[in-house]
Amino acid sequence: FFQKTLTAVKNWFTLFGWPKGQNPISVPYSLRRNVYKVQMTSSREKVFKQNLGRDTKTVCDMLFHLSGQLLPGTASSQSLPLDPVERMLQLHWQHSTLLAFLKSQGAYLPYVMPEFLLEPDDYKKWIKVQTVLKVGDVKNSDIFSDKYLFILEDSIFETMSKRAWTDVLLQIYKVFVLPRVSSRNITELFSLESVKNMPRIKSEPLSSNIYSPYERTILTWLNIHYEKNRKTVWKDCQKGEI
């Protein structure tokens, strides 16, 4: 089931998730690699551009294309320290900003932590720094404010990272694409004789703490067409016999 979901997500975002046409993606590899279009800056203020290329599309490009909003606190040309640890901390902060932005738009990502979106090497640096801080009993740090520390083996981290990025994409779709769904044709479909006695999914905003009104509209649409086809395929069967 998860693999089918992942394939569907990759296909949709490859075809429709980016400005200026298709952009093939791999989850999580290309997303982790091309999260932000940045510049690498040394301590001597010599600037080294990261080798992303002019036409490389980033997650920020995708968000702006789908929502019309820029990720708060980030610019199109962001500077990152050349020091690997400082660079990892900057990326962790930007991932935190990404998750906070999505949650503010209604995304549900309770288990996804910023470190799950990092590259494997950066994740190891994060664990090492956090472990040193815990041993040293460093308190009240704004940078290291995570309550829990999950130390994952390489293979487990890759699985977790793939799942985290998949859920991030699904929630991006939920909060920025699903609201375009219109429910104006649902009422007309309910007038059909074949679905008059079908239980309805309530469309009121507060009728579910799981599904949004847009998701319930799609579920209603699926139920209506299932009921129509059920009577076509199994026209001589009672509903309880199927």
Side-chain angles (χ1 to χ4, degrees):
F1 172 79
F2 176 71
Q3 189 58 47
K4 289 181 178 180
T5 301
L6 177 60
T7 299
V9 167
K10 288 196 297 185
N11 289 343
W12 192 91
F13 277 90
T14 290
L15 293 172
F16 308 112
W18 309 86
K20 299 180 182 180
Q22 300 180 20
N23 179 45
I25 65 170
S26 58
V27 180
Y29 311 109
S30 66
L31 297 175
R32 292 189 310 209
R33 185 173 62 249
N34 301 333
V35 183
Y36 312 102
K37 194 170 292 185
V38 299
Q39 293 178 332
M40 304 290 289
T41 307
S42 73
S43 58
R44 296 182 180 179
E45 298 184 355
K46 292 181 180 179
V47 176
F48 301 87
K49 290 187 178 179
Q50 189 177 13
N51 187 24
L52 285 179
R54 182 184 302 177
D55 297 326
T56 300
K57 298 180 178 68
T58 68
V59 171
C60 285
D61 295 327
M62 178 186 67
L63 284 175
F64 185 74
H65 173 66
L66 295 176
S67 69
Q69 302 179 62
L70 292 172
L71 191 63
T74 62
S76 59
S77 183
Q78 193 85 15
S79 62
L80 286 179
L82 190 61
D83 178 80
V85 174
E86 292 182 7
R87 177 179 181 275
M88 175 273 295
L89 293 176
Q90 177 71 16
L91 286 172
H92 188 276
W93 176 83
Q94 290 180 217
H95 289 325
S96 299
T97 302
L98 169 65
L99 294 175
F101 171 68
L102 293 177
K103 290 175 183 178
S104 72
Q105 302 298 312
Y108 186 69
L109 296 162
Y111 84 94
V112 178
M113 297 185 176
E115 53 266 32
F116 295 161
L117 306 180
L118 292 169
E119 291 274 9
D121 287 344
D122 285 335
Y123 172 74
K124 291 176 182 177
K125 293 184 184 75
W126 169 258
I127 293 299
K128 184 177 180 179
V129 170
Q130 287 284 62
T131 303
V132 170
L133 282 174
K134 288 182 181 296
V135 171
D137 195 26
V138 176
K139 299 179 180 179
N140 301 320
S141 172
D142 292 332
I143 299 177
F144 307 101
S145 58
D146 287 340
K147 185 177 180 181
Y148 302 106
L149 178 62
F150 293 95
I151 302 177
L152 306 176
E153 297 179 359
D154 291 352
S155 60
I156 301 299
F157 172 76
E158 283 294 349
T159 300
M160 180 65 78
S161 185
K162 180 181 289 188
R163 183 60 184 264
W165 273 110
T166 300
D167 286 346
V168 165
L169 292 178
L170 285 170
Q171 292 299 309
I172 287 173
Y173 184 89
K174 173 184 174 180
V175 299
F176 295 130
V177 181
L178 277 187
R180 305 173 192 173
V181 172
S182 172
S183 61
R184 62 178 179 270
N185 295 324
I186 297 296
T187 303
E188 297 176 7
L189 289 172
F190 266 122
S191 64
L192 298 173
E193 187 68 30
S194 60
V195 298
K196 279 186 176 180
N197 297 323
M198 188 187 75
R200 303 192 183 191
I201 297 173
K202 295 181 180 180
S203 60
E204 291 80 4
L206 299 180
S207 62
S208 173
N209 62 352
I210 300 175
Y211 299 113
S212 67
Y214 317 108
E215 289 173 295
R216 293 198 295 278
T217 296
I218 290 178
L219 288 172
T220 298
W221 181 86
L222 286 170
N223 281 350
I224 288 173
H225 285 280
Y226 171 81
E227 183 69 10
K228 288 172 59 181
N229 284 281
R230 182 187 70 81
K231 293 197 172 183
T232 300
V233 176
W234 297 294
K235 59 182 178 180
D236 296 326
C237 295
Q238 296 298 317
K239 192 169 184 178
E241 297 175 355
I242 298 174

